[in-house]
Amino acid sequence: MDNKFIVSSSPHLSGTVKTKTIMIDVIIGLIPALVASIIIFGPRALLVCAVSIAAAVIAEYICRKVMKRENTIGDFSAVVTGLLLAFNLPSGIPLWMAALGSVIAIVVVKQMFGGIGQNFVNPALAARIILMTSFPTQMTTWPSPVDGTASSTPLAMIASGNTADLPSYLDMFLGSRGGCLGETCILALLIGGVYLVIRKVISPIIPLTYIGVVFVFSAILGQDCVMQILSGGLFLGAIFMATDYTTSPLTNKGKFIYAVGCGILTVLIRTFGALPEGVSFSIIIMNILVPHIERLTEPKAFGVRKEASK
């Protein structure tokens, strides 16, 4: 028979929008933050990004060959993973650690669960957490954007009570502060986020809700809510990682619940946790809860009666 039913695993794509198209849009959306990181932290930022991307692509190619699966490096998802991981690393990290993180993200978190569309947590964030717990000193040494010497992040200053040395709101917005490569320049991240919304690659529900909840909840706890949303990797996580198709809900109601959970957890970890930042852990925790959120928010089929309570 010429017409056969073909059963395959997700994702099931139709129409003109393909994985490669989406990934290219994401890369374009990340370019402003990449340019800002090079301006702020110098040429080594570009080197860290290049090593992370190269390791991710090579790891995916070899892994798919070993597993005897169709190679997927052409969809550019490995490039996105490598770049996002680099954006979650300090500029002074040893290059072999950046490469190791990419291998972990691609092989352990992505390919061992079946590849794109089947990983249950964000690969870049999972790799960052593994690197942070394995190499805490290297992952928390932040070269200053001014002279390259070690500096503290704003969240670390707040946690230690050293609020007198905090950067201004404008410096925070433009990225003149210590932090990971891709998280410091809020302006660049917003430009990329607006591009993705215009291209309909992401919905604004998750970023706006996530950032809004952090703002409101921080104010309730008596913190500087503006400094809280400008600090750490909140904008990077909310725009580019919490919105990952595979690890976020599909329904609008589910997206809202998911983002609220990310926001609350981020503030709780920042306020009461041992680490000053909570974005990575919050998104990973909510990634794990996504199947339950989707089950609770699944729309009912038209014409189906609600079962009567017994």
Side-chain angles (χ1 to χ4, degrees), residues 19-20 23-24 27 72-81 110:
T19 302
K20 181 178 179 179
M23 294 302 161
I24 290 175
I27 293 170
T72 54
I73 59 172
D75 63 16
F76 291 99
S77 62
V79 174
V80 171
T81 298
K110 182 182 176 184

Side-chain angles (χ1 to χ4, degrees), residues 186-204:
I186 307 302
L187 175 60
L189 294 169
L190 284 175
I191 293 172
V194 170
Y195 170 80
L196 293 182
V197 171
I198 292 173
R199 290 284 295 166
K200 297 182 179 180
V201 173
I202 66 171
S203 164

Side-chain angles (χ1 to χ4, degrees), residues 69 156 204 289 291:
R69 296 174 180 170
L289 296 177

Side-chain angles (χ1 to χ4, degrees), residues 20-186:
K20 181 178 179 179
T21 306
I22 294 171
M23 294 302 161
I24 290 175
D25 273 331
V26 174
I27 293 170
I28 293 172
L30 289 168
I31 287 177
L34 174 61
V35 173
S37 71
I38 297 170
I39 294 172
I40 294 168
F41 296 104
R44 200 174 194 283
L46 181 60
L47 184 58
V48 172
C49 291
V51 169
S52 183
I53 292 170
V57 173
I58 293 171
E60 178 146 324
Y61 178 82
I62 294 175
C63 192
R64 300 293 291 190
K65 280 288 187 182
V66 171
M67 293 179 173
K68 297 182 179 180
R69 296 174 180 170
E70 179 185 358
N71 222 293
T72 54
I73 59 172
D75 63 16
F76 291 99
S77 62
V79 174
V80 171
T81 298
L83 186 54
L84 284 175
L85 174 62
F87 277 11
N88 281 276
L89 302 175
S91 61
I93 190 169
L95 296 179
W96 68 267
M97 286 188 189
L100 176 63
S102 288
V103 172
I104 292 171
I106 295 297
V107 177
V108 179
V109 186
K110 182 182 176 184
Q111 294 301 333
M112 284 191 175
F113 286 92
I116 187 170
Q118 299 180 66
N119 50 283
F120 69 97
V121 294
N122 185 284
L125 286 180
R128 185 202 181 195
I129 290 174
I130 292 172
L131 289 178
M132 188 181 298
T133 54
S134 302
F135 312 104
T137 301
Q138 292 85 346
M139 286 291 291
T140 55
T141 300
W142 315 103
S144 169
V146 178
D147 55 12
T149 59
S151 64
S152 298
T153 63
L155 287 176
M157 294 180 188
I158 294 171
S160 64
N162 183 24
T163 56
D165 295 329
L166 284 173
S168 66
Y169 292 157
L170 181 60
D171 285 340
M172 296 289 291
F173 186 71
L174 297 178
S176 183
R177 61 180 173 95
C180 295
L181 289 181
E183 71 181 18
T184 60
C185 186
I186 307 302

Side-chain angles (χ1 to χ4, degrees), residues 231-252:
S231 299
L234 179 59
F235 275 81
L236 176 62
I239 296 171
F240 291 100
M241 288 179 286
T243 55
D244 176 40
Y245 286 0
T246 306
T247 56
S248 63
L250 298 175
T251 64
N252 288 340

